[in-house]
Amino acid sequence: MKDTAQPFTCLLTGGAGFIGAHVVREILAIDESGQASVLVLDDLTGGFIENLPDDPRIQFVEGSVTDVRLVDRLFDEHSFDFVYHIAAYAAEGLSHFIRRFNYTNNLIGSVNLINASVRHEVRRFVFTSSIAVYGSAQVPMAESTVPSPEDPYGISKLAVELDLKSAHEMFGLDYTIFRPHNVYGEFQNIGDRYRNVVGIFMNRIMRNESLPIFGTGEQTRAFSYIGDVAPGIARAPFVRESRNEIFNVGADQPVSVNELATTVADAFGVSPVLDFLPAREEVVAAWADHSRFRNVFRPGGEVSLEDGIGRMATWAKEVGPRSSTEFSNIEVTRNLPESWKLTSDDA
Ligand SMILES: NC(=O)c1ccc[n+]([C@@H]2O[C@H](COP(=O)([O-])OP(=O)(O)OC[C@H]3O[C@@H](n4cnc5c(N)ncnc54)[C@H](O)[C@@H]3O)[C@@H](O)[C@H]2O)c1
């Protein structure tokens, strides 16, 4: 019998967020038994409960992975076969200014889950790391590239990766690590002013505002449609060759932020009004090699940027603009980009 025909139980952190909400749906689609159970743990700091599908196989718990007593209680009460750890605050640029929060949320929170997974002999720990672990390495970044993260966000992701490797060697905890990059699509939080450039552009176009661009806009990223990312993450525990492996996942084709602005504006039928801001500390070119992912997961064809942006724009028009929330607890204000200092909601 195939593994997916047996009922399984999993914990999915960050399921009310963008990538998590898609991974939940993919997990439910994989479940051939119709009896799987998915416990979603999310503190709703970046996600929305409405992102979750209405399905009796899902149980939602509002809470944080940093709450070790809650995490331990959930592991005591449920016998998780798999853990998908997707929760994080992924504002890479902002992480320089919220170092303590970043390491508490993204590193210590992860360690709480790893400890519990070791104690309860979880069969697979799936972790969404990031291309941020490579820093400004030569492109295309391959899994064999020596990681050298340049910001606290990337450092915390690499630390979790290393901790998983060590937990595997010491205790036999099996893992699969994904390093996605610049993912966009339906359910993304378009109201976070510090991250998700595609969402920021869409939100601002719907509010008749200009599109902020740090530096020249010639920095390149391979923007990745969620439909090309979420299925592999969901399938990982059922793909034997992905055991204790690391995979880049996402689109192959890099484009500049300027080109992205034009594509997004086209999807809304407007001309982009660009607002060039002083350059910030960021990697100039970031795109990755995905041959390892393709060999193991054998995904279908990739969604083009125009198609993916078109699908997301259709959804964004339905839900409408979101007010742009500020991070209330900046720890270091030195060198904080001017545009992030604004206190008005119209920034
Ligand atoms: N979106 C991307 O382009 C991208 C790229 C690389 C890696 N990732 C990683 O993928 C994961 C998901 O990112 P996303 O874009 O869906 O972000 P998101 O903000 O939409 O989702 C993250 C979810 O985690 C929740 N969360 C945050 N801190 C939590 C905590 N302490 N306890 C419980 N829940 C918490 C948020 O409420 C949110 O629902 C993150 O780990 C991120 O680092 C994302």
Side-chain angles (χ1 to χ4, degrees):
M1 191 155 57
K2 281 202 320 195
D3 276 359
T4 48
Q6 316 258 23
F8 56 87
T9 301
C10 58
L11 171 67
L12 190 147
T13 70
F18 163 49
I19 294 181
H22 286 270
V23 173
V24 168
R25 285 167 172 77
E26 295 295 336
I27 293 172
L28 296 178
I30 286 173
D31 166 37
E32 293 170 58
S33 73
Q35 290 169 21
S37 105
V38 185
L39 191 141
V40 171
L41 173 64
D42 196 303
D43 67 1
L44 300 181
T45 50
F48 302 88
I49 189 90
E50 314 82 79
N51 284 350
L52 283 171
D54 185 13
D55 191 297
R57 290 170 291 176
I58 299 177
Q59 188 189 337
F60 178 74
V61 174
E62 183 175 346
S64 174
V65 296
T66 58
D67 181 347
V68 68
R69 288 171 65 176
L70 171 63
V71 167
D72 287 349
R73 180 167 66 73
L74 294 177
F75 276 80
D76 285 342
E77 288 175 357
H78 302 261
S79 184
F80 298 124
D81 296 300
F82 315 123
V83 170
Y84 295 84
H85 178 33
I86 298 178
Y89 185 43
E92 185 173 3
L94 188 66
S95 69
H96 291 286
F97 310 100
I98 53 168
R99 314 177 86 82
R100 185 183 161 79
F101 176 81
N102 170 77
Y103 290 118
T104 306
N105 204 55
N106 297 352
L107 175 54
I108 301 298
S110 303
V111 171
N112 290 339
L113 295 164
I114 295 172
N115 273 345
S117 298
V118 166
R119 284 200 297 265
H120 290 266
E121 299 187 27
V122 159
R123 286 162 53 198
R124 187 78 67 93
F125 192 104
V126 180
F127 175 57
T128 47
S129 178
S130 167
I131 196 181
V133 299
Y134 294 119
S136 48
Q138 208 174 349
V139 286
M141 294 147 170
E143 294 86 348
S144 55
T145 305
V146 177
S148 182
E150 296 184 352
D151 50 62
Y153 169 70
I155 294 167
S156 63
K157 289 291 189 188
L158 181 59
V160 176
E161 288 192 8
L162 294 172
D163 194 66
L164 279 171
K165 189 160 177 284
S166 148
H168 168 68
E169 280 159 14
M170 185 72 193
F171 303 110
L173 176 67
D174 283 341
Y175 63 83
T176 302
I177 292 168
F178 291 95
R179 293 174 176 166
H181 52 92
N182 295 95
V183 191
Y184 68 90
E186 300 90 330
F187 303 132
Q188 184 158 58
N189 182 1
I190 59 176
D192 187 334
R193 69 173 66 187
Y194 307 104
R195 65 181 292 250
N196 302 332
V197 61
V198 177
I200 290 174
F201 284 174
M202 290 193 180
N203 205 32
R204 291 186 68 102
I205 287 174
M206 290 191 288
R207 291 161 61 123
N208 293 318
E209 293 170 348
S210 60
L211 307 186
I213 292 183
F214 290 104
T216 62
E218 287 308 305
Q219 58 272 47
T220 51
R221 304 284 184 268
F223 296 97
S224 311
Y225 184 62
I226 183 66
D228 295 326
V229 174
I233 297 175
R235 281 178 51 216
F238 307 100
V239 176
R240 210 174 304 258
E241 306 89 311
S242 76
R243 208 164 59 102
N244 305 319
E245 295 287 347
I246 299 179
F247 299 91
N248 293 333
V249 58
D252 287 321
Q253 192 59 43
V255 299
S256 71
V257 174
N258 291 332
E259 287 172 86
L260 175 75
T262 306
T263 308
V264 174
D266 284 351
F268 284 83
V270 299
S271 309
V273 181
L274 307 184
D275 181 14
F276 289 95
L277 307 173
R280 62 176 177 177
E281 199 60 42
E282 68 176 330
V283 173
V284 176
W287 42 286
D289 176 273
H290 303 108
S291 31
R292 186 184 286 186
F293 179 82
R294 266 195 295 275
N295 286 342
V296 170
F297 287 92
R298 310 239 164 247
E302 197 174 289
V303 173
S304 71
L305 186 66
E306 288 71 21
D307 276 1
I309 293 287
R311 291 183 204 185
M312 182 175 170
T314 304
W315 166 82
K317 286 173 203 166
E318 272 165 30
V319 297
R322 286 208 167 115
S323 59
S324 161
T325 43
E326 282 184 1
F327 194 88
S328 57
N329 241 334
I330 303 283
E331 297 158 19
V332 177
T333 52
R334 200 168 140 197
N335 296 346
L336 187 69
E338 276 304 314
S339 58
W340 286 349
K341 286 184 189 157
L342 297 180
T343 50
S344 126
D345 182 52
D346 302 323

